[in-house]
Amino acid sequence: MESMIHDMAERLFRDHIGHGLREGAAAGQCPEALWTRIEEAGLPMALVPEEAGGFGVPAAEALGLVRIAGAHGLPLPLAETLIANAVLARAGLTLPGGRLTIAEGAALRLDRRGAAIHASGPLTLVPFARWADRIVTIAALDGVDHVLSLPVKDLTVTPAQDLAGMPRDDAGVDLALTDADAAPLPRSLGGMRGLGALARSLATAGAMETILSMTVEYANDRVQFGRPIGKFQAIQHYLATMAGETAASRAAAEMAADSYDTPAFALTVAAAKSRSGEAAETVGALAHQVHGAIGYTQEHALHHFTKRIWSWRDEFGTELDWTRELGRAALSSPRDTFWHFITDSTAQGIPA
Amino acid sequence: MTLTAFPPPPPGADYDDLRQEVRAFLAEELAGFPPEKRAESWNGFSRAFSRKLAQRGWVGMTFPREYGGHARSALERYVVSEELLAAGAPVISHWIADRQSGPLILAKGTEEQKRAIVPRIAAGELCFCIGMSEPDSGSDLAATRTVATEVEGGFRVNGTKVWTTYAHVADYMILFCRTGKSDDRHGGMSQFLIDLKATENIQISPIIDLGGEHHFNQVIFDDTFLPSDALLGEKGEGWSQVMSELAFERSGPERFLSSFALIEELIRVLRQDATEAQQAEIGRLSAHLMVLRQMSRSVAGMLNEGKNPALQAAIVKDLGALYEQDIPRLARSLVSRPAVPGGRDSYAAVLAYTELAVPSFSLRGGTREILRGIIARGLGLR
């Protein structure tokens, strides 16, 4: 797919993300200057409809930015900000600008207190919370999904991190929100879990493409027994397996991205998140096997990518969560046969 | 990295009206067709079924109208193909001809060959087989020894082909053999279109597979005379002609739906009450299937645009075979019921049939090892 915004993002990330920046971020330094460039390029608005200030590109193309960010190991909440802005726009709330992040809000309790909505409860493992200005979440009030825009400065943030050293913080919520920061979600986009899972599938696919090309390069360069190890059939088959898993992950993630904001999304995202998570196991293991001991060091760049894909497996629903959901849907489907369930679950325009 | 990019099929590729028509047709034609017959998948043979399908316009769908085809897209053909496979319809009688021989003749054949053969393929009348493997040339196709020597008015063929599926009933064979010497290992090869019913000195004998089924044959050419007009395409261009068929051969839904009858049986058994662990496994199986189908449809979309996605096809076939072959193991891990060949319980019978079929899935149409070698080269391993 030819895409101006993809080319722009590729250039920006290629020129400004290196091993040092990723190391610094893993050690706790937010790459502020890089974020400024991302904002100047307008990337965080790509998934917002044109009338709300977006570029008017198709959603699948905007979401492609998340795959590209994954391919470069971007240590910033671009995916989260894209999604947060799209959800805020859907609810008719102001887009505040700055770095945003997203969280599942199932554990939040909402009550009406006069004109305000009071929100309380925990948000856990929120990506980049301490580097974000706001957390956007969805929680139910009187059985209706509401979008909440929570200023991080008003929350109690407890730092934690994922396997790759990226911030995954807990945030305690106890505050009153005006209708500037809380509004009903008129038509679901798939819930924060689904949207987050979509982002992680896309990023996983991108990171795997980088892991694959690093591993091919290494296999061509590294000489043992008098020849590049990529000449050995055993190594070639590992790489072919990695390519298959990577291709499947990307196809899965793009299938879900293609059904963004359609009824098919609920099941395609379940397939995408579980398929790419499973692939992360194989791709990560084989990449390290081919790289040998050097790939197991801090000094080598490989770990920034493998640790990310391993972390992402567990975020926004584990493989077990998503396969159970998909399996329950398959086994309880009113369709005549399993085949009808499969074709209908991916078809555009047929209610899931 | 274009090798790992499978662009989503174009919008509207669901062709829901067509799909519903095919479903209605199959519901009627296959009423009472038992699960253990459906388990034969695309190895099931019925000339009558193929002809009926052709009467509906669902054979030779992508062929031009002037050759009896229907000028429909590769994606419409895809919908029909996957519905046939999912229902376990007996399709082999027309399958090879529809999938690759017809397109090959259309691309490389003479006007006479096209006019004589293609309309009959589209009518569902012709069964094709492919003469490729030999006793000493399996994965190493370039080691082919069968040779066609030019003589007055045509060629004399000598050599032996093996594993030739359905040669014993087929009307035509596309033969791959040597027609000359070449320094290039892939040079000096050609393809021939052989009328098996009208050609003398071809001896076809059965090779019975481990399930007791007769699909394979040995085909011996003993100074077999072929007229000049049996040559298909350019003399000496056989290798590249065969390579151009591979994307059609390796990317279709038959590369991941061969065990589908067992999946339907498994779901039927689990539907009443499944544990969470069983639900998760069915979810995993569903996810893999949805993704394989997406990738395979993506290749159909690329073929429809006139591209040659041979590498992507190799990936689909490699992943698809792993999936198909894993289904008996998965079934065993979820349901405790022994496999019984021909058993009265359809689950047990389908499990038994599928168990014996799966080893062939990563052999036929390019072994796993060959596919992975192709993918590795495509990745740029030097």
Side-chain angles (χ1 to χ4, degrees):
Chain A
M1 179 167 56
E2 296 290 319
S3 161
M4 262 168 55
I5 62 164
H6 289 188
D7 293 346
M8 184 164 63
E10 280 284 1
R11 264 199 310 278
L12 198 161
F13 297 154
R14 195 179 53 224
D15 294 348
H16 298 283
I17 305 177
H19 191 58
L21 183 132
R22 286 189 289 259
E23 287 283 296
Q29 294 156 13
C30 177
E32 294 283 355
L34 176 58
W35 180 260
T36 306
R37 290 177 191 279
I38 290 171
E39 269 205 322
E40 282 167 2
L43 302 184
M45 295 295 279
L47 191 57
V48 167
E50 211 167 357
E51 58 274 19
F55 309 153
V57 299
E61 184 180 341
L63 288 162
L65 292 172
V66 178
R67 175 179 54 77
I68 295 166
H72 290 271
L74 172 71
L76 280 166
L78 173 59
E80 290 81 354
T81 306
L82 277 168
I83 291 168
N85 279 327
V87 170
L88 291 171
R90 176 61 57 91
L93 290 171
T94 312
L95 307 188
R99 278 193 296 274
L100 308 178
T101 190
I102 56 173
E104 292 181 57
L108 287 189
R109 191 190 143 87
L110 303 186
D111 323 275
R112 285 189 200 283
R113 292 193 191 165
I117 292 175
H118 187 263
S120 62
L123 300 171
T124 52
L125 298 175
V126 183
F128 303 100
R130 77 188 98 129
W131 294 353
D133 302 311
R134 283 171 180 264
I135 299 174
V136 175
T137 188
I138 300 173
L141 173 64
D142 305 331
V144 176
D145 275 347
H146 279 62
V147 176
L148 313 178
S149 174
L150 309 170
V152 172
K153 64 175 171 45
D154 299 335
L155 310 177
T156 315
V157 174
T158 313
Q161 60 185 5
D162 71 6
L163 294 174
M166 294 296 101
R168 295 292 185 265
D169 307 318
D170 291 344
V173 182
D174 185 7
L175 75 169
L177 301 164
T178 67
D179 56 10
D181 287 331
L185 183 62
R187 187 159 51 86
S188 170
L189 282 164
M192 278 304 183
R193 170 176 283 210
L195 294 169
L198 170 63
R200 293 304 182 249
S201 307
L202 285 161
T204 297
M208 281 178 182
E209 289 188 322
T210 299
I211 292 169
L212 177 62
S213 58
M214 287 171 83
T215 311
V216 168
E217 199 179 320
Y218 185 79
N220 277 332
D221 291 346
R222 171 71 171 168
V223 173
Q224 287 287 275
F225 305 103
R227 48 184 173 158
I229 60 170
K231 292 273 187 207
F232 292 100
Q233 199 180 39
I235 303 290
Q236 292 183 352
H237 288 193
Y238 283 161
L239 282 156
T241 300
M242 289 172 69
E245 292 297 295
T246 300
S249 298
R250 179 160 173 186
E254 290 183 342
M255 171 173 74
D258 222 37
S259 63
Y260 173 81
D261 204 17
T262 74
F265 183 67
L267 294 178
T268 56
V269 78
K273 184 63 166 62
S274 57
R275 185 66 185 86
S276 64
E278 184 184 327
E281 170 125 6
T282 308
V283 169
L286 292 178
H288 281 287
Q289 189 64 29
V290 174
H291 274 85
I294 192 68
Y296 194 65
T297 62
Q298 185 108 48
E299 166 196 348
H300 197 281
L302 182 61
H303 71 95
H304 284 297
F305 297 92
T306 53
K307 289 192 305 200
R308 275 174 175 69
I309 64 174
W310 293 330
S311 298
W312 292 336
R313 289 179 80 169
D314 292 343
E315 272 190 285
F316 296 105
T318 61
E319 279 139 72
L320 196 53
D321 293 331
W322 285 113
T323 52
R324 270 186 198 149
E325 185 157 323
L326 193 49
R328 264 197 301 275
L331 289 165
S332 64
S333 166
R335 311 288 192 282
D336 293 346
T337 65
F338 178 63
W339 177 249
H340 295 190
F341 166 78
I342 289 292
T343 56
D344 289 0
S345 63
T346 49
Q348 306 289 337
I350 295 175
Chain B
M1 186 153 294
T2 52
L3 179 60
T4 49
F6 283 70
D14 295 317
Y15 294 104
D16 198 53
D17 292 345
L18 174 61
R19 190 182 298 285
Q20 298 313 327
E21 279 177 50
V22 178
R23 282 183 185 173
F25 169 80
L26 290 173
E28 195 177 314
E29 286 300 319
L30 299 182
F33 195 56
E36 56 272 29
K37 293 297 288 175
R38 294 175 194 255
E40 292 180 24
S41 185
W42 48 290
N43 259 322
F45 183 92
S46 166
R47 280 188 187 270
F49 180 84
S50 291
R51 270 194 299 268
K52 276 191 185 163
L53 197 68
Q55 282 162 12
R56 299 296 302 261
W58 295 331
V59 179
M61 287 176 75
T62 60
F63 302 171
R65 288 186 199 282
E66 58 175 315
Y67 301 108
H70 304 278
R72 297 181 87 163
S73 72
L75 291 154
E76 289 174 285
R77 177 180 176 273
Y78 193 97
V79 167
V80 174
S81 299
E82 67 174 355
E83 289 297 328
L84 290 168
L85 293 166
V91 294
I92 194 69
S93 176
H94 72 276
W95 197 257
I96 308 283
D98 178 71
R99 177 178 73 190
Q100 64 196 92
S101 308
L104 174 69
I105 294 167
L106 283 165
K108 304 290 177 188
T110 62
E111 195 53 37
E112 290 71 34
Q113 286 170 331
K114 290 193 227 178
R115 297 222 172 271
I117 306 290
V118 177
R120 295 172 63 205
I121 292 177
E125 288 171 8
L126 295 184
C127 175
F128 270 64
C129 64
I130 307 286
M132 294 242 261
S133 294
E134 298 185 4
D136 295 319
S137 167
S139 286
D140 184 7
L141 185 59
T144 291
R145 287 214 291 241
T146 297
V147 61
T149 312
E150 211 151 0
V151 295
E152 185 164 353
F155 297 83
R156 290 271 173 200
V157 183
N158 284 284
T160 301
K161 293 289 174 184
V162 285
W163 322 127
T164 315
T165 304
Y166 281 102
H168 57 300
V169 289
D171 303 289
Y172 282 86
M173 173 193 275
I174 306 276
L175 172 71
F176 176 80
C177 68
R178 211 162 267 294
T179 44
K181 292 210 183 324
S182 167
D183 292 338
D184 176 5
R185 208 165 167 260
H186 298 153
M189 308 285 194
S190 301
Q191 284 180 298
F192 291 90
L193 175 62
I194 303 181
D195 183 343
L196 290 174
K197 305 287 190 209
T199 305
E200 291 178 352
N201 297 325
I202 299 177
Q203 186 195 319
I204 299 172
S205 43
I207 302 173
I208 305 301
D209 70 23
L210 57 70
E213 307 265 341
H214 176 198
H215 299 140
F216 295 143
N217 298 276
Q218 172 177 266
V219 182
I220 298 174
F221 294 90
D222 180 12
D223 235 13
T224 310
F225 177 76
L226 301 180
S228 305
D229 63 5
L231 181 68
L232 181 57
E234 294 287 313
K235 191 178 161 207
E237 290 300 310
W239 186 268
S240 68
Q241 289 178 199
V242 164
M243 293 303 123
S244 70
E245 286 175 64
L246 293 179
F248 291 95
E249 187 181 343
R250 290 181 170 160
S251 66
E254 68 268 43
R255 298 309 180 184
F256 55 92
L257 289 176
S258 308
S259 301
F260 197 73
L262 180 55
I263 297 181
E264 287 285 11
E265 285 295 307
L266 180 61
I267 301 275
R268 184 180 59 74
V269 168
L270 291 178
R271 200 163 235 178
Q272 299 312 318
D273 73 300
T275 64
E276 283 206 328
Q278 288 169 329
Q279 288 170 347
E281 282 299 329
I282 295 303
R284 178 177 173 273
L285 169 152
S286 305
H288 276 254
L289 182 55
M290 287 162 70
V291 175
L292 280 165
R293 182 167 173 261
Q294 178 81 0
M295 297 172 85
S296 173
R297 292 165 83 217
S298 167
V299 176
M302 291 187 252
L303 288 170
N304 205 39
E305 291 169 16
K307 296 178 183 159
N308 182 12
L311 287 169
Q312 285 89 346
I315 289 179
V316 170
K317 185 174 180 310
D318 187 34
L319 289 175
L322 287 170
Y323 179 77
E324 298 177 324
Q325 289 181 322
D326 192 42
I327 304 302
R329 178 205 63 80
L330 178 72
R332 283 218 162 74
S333 76
L334 299 179
V335 175
S336 173
R337 274 197 216 179
V340 184
R344 269 197 307 261
D345 170 30
S346 62
Y347 174 88
V350 170
L351 175 61
Y353 184 92
T354 308
E355 178 104 68
L356 297 184
V358 296
S360 68
F361 297 171
S362 54
L363 304 175
R364 64 186 183 190
T367 63
R368 173 169 299 143
E369 291 70 29
I370 286 293
L371 298 171
R372 291 189 178 171
I374 290 168
I375 298 164
R377 270 201 307 285
L379 286 170
L381 286 171
R382 298 188 290 261

